Amino acid sequence: MSRSAKAVGARRRRSSGFTLIELVITVAILALLASAVVPLAEVARVRSKESELRAALRTLRGGIDAYKRATDEGRVQRAADESGYPKTLEALVRGVPDAKDPGRKQVYFLRRIPRDPFADAQTPAALSWGVRSYESPPEAPQEGKDVFDVYSRATAKGLNGIPYNEW
């Protein structure tokens, strides 16, 4: 083999790999793309929790409204000084005897109490919610003799700018 053939082969071997600058540029581009994905993943996580919160509030409020409807229909007994709303969230799951049924079968309003997705995982589901009684004003919800409404105890603001406890 001639000297010029050896030189050409040596050049080909040297030019067949990546240079350090090409590797640095590639890593920098990948880091830039990864830094854009992390905030998007966080927004997707928050959006998922907000969707869970909406569904849980809808479920609880639907159960409370069904209890009130059953009271108005005479299926749930109540004293004259009571509002007709459940005394606790647990009453929606525990059920109450049907006053119109001769066998006094239980009437259930929820299968289970959903957990507030923004609450601590150690908190029992029923205690993860703030409750508002019928007698308390909407701008200053207070617990009382019954459960008229529920709200999240989370103080953070949602992606829409409204605090979770005002949803």
Side-chain angles (χ1 to χ4, degrees), residues 136-158:
S136 81
E139 61 277 351
Q142 300 279 324
E143 289 188 32
K145 296 185 279 185
D146 56 18
V147 178
F148 174 70
D149 195 13
V150 294
Y151 59 91
S152 176
R153 292 183 190 265
T155 56
K157 285 188 177 182

Side-chain angles (χ1 to χ4, degrees), residues 91-104:
L92 300 172
V93 175
R94 227 181 13 253
V96 293
D98 188 342
K100 287 191 171 182
D101 183 356
R104 307 286 284 172

Side-chain angles (χ1 to χ4, degrees), residues 78-100:
R78 71 173 171 137
D81 64 338
E82 292 179 344
S83 66
Y85 289 97
K87 290 182 179 22
T88 63
L89 287 176
E90 290 87 355
L92 300 172
V93 175
R94 227 181 13 253
V96 293
D98 188 342
K100 287 191 171 182

Side-chain angles (χ1 to χ4, degrees), residues 53-54 62 81 92 110 113 134 139 152:
L53 177 62
R54 277 189 203 92
D81 64 338
L92 300 172
L110 290 178
I113 297 172
Y134 182 72
E139 61 277 351
S152 176

Side-chain angles (χ1 to χ4, degrees), residues 4-5 8 11 15 26 29 31 37 42 48 52 60 64-65 69 74 80 85 94 115 128 139 143 153 155 157 167:
S4 64
V8 170
R11 256 187 263 132
S15 66
T26 303
I29 290 171
V37 168
E42 179 62 21
S48 172
E52 286 179 48
L60 286 169
I64 292 168
D65 291 343
R69 220 174 6 263
Y85 289 97
R94 227 181 13 253
R115 168 182 302 289
S128 68
E139 61 277 351
E143 289 188 32
R153 292 183 190 265
T155 56
K157 285 188 177 182
W167 284 26

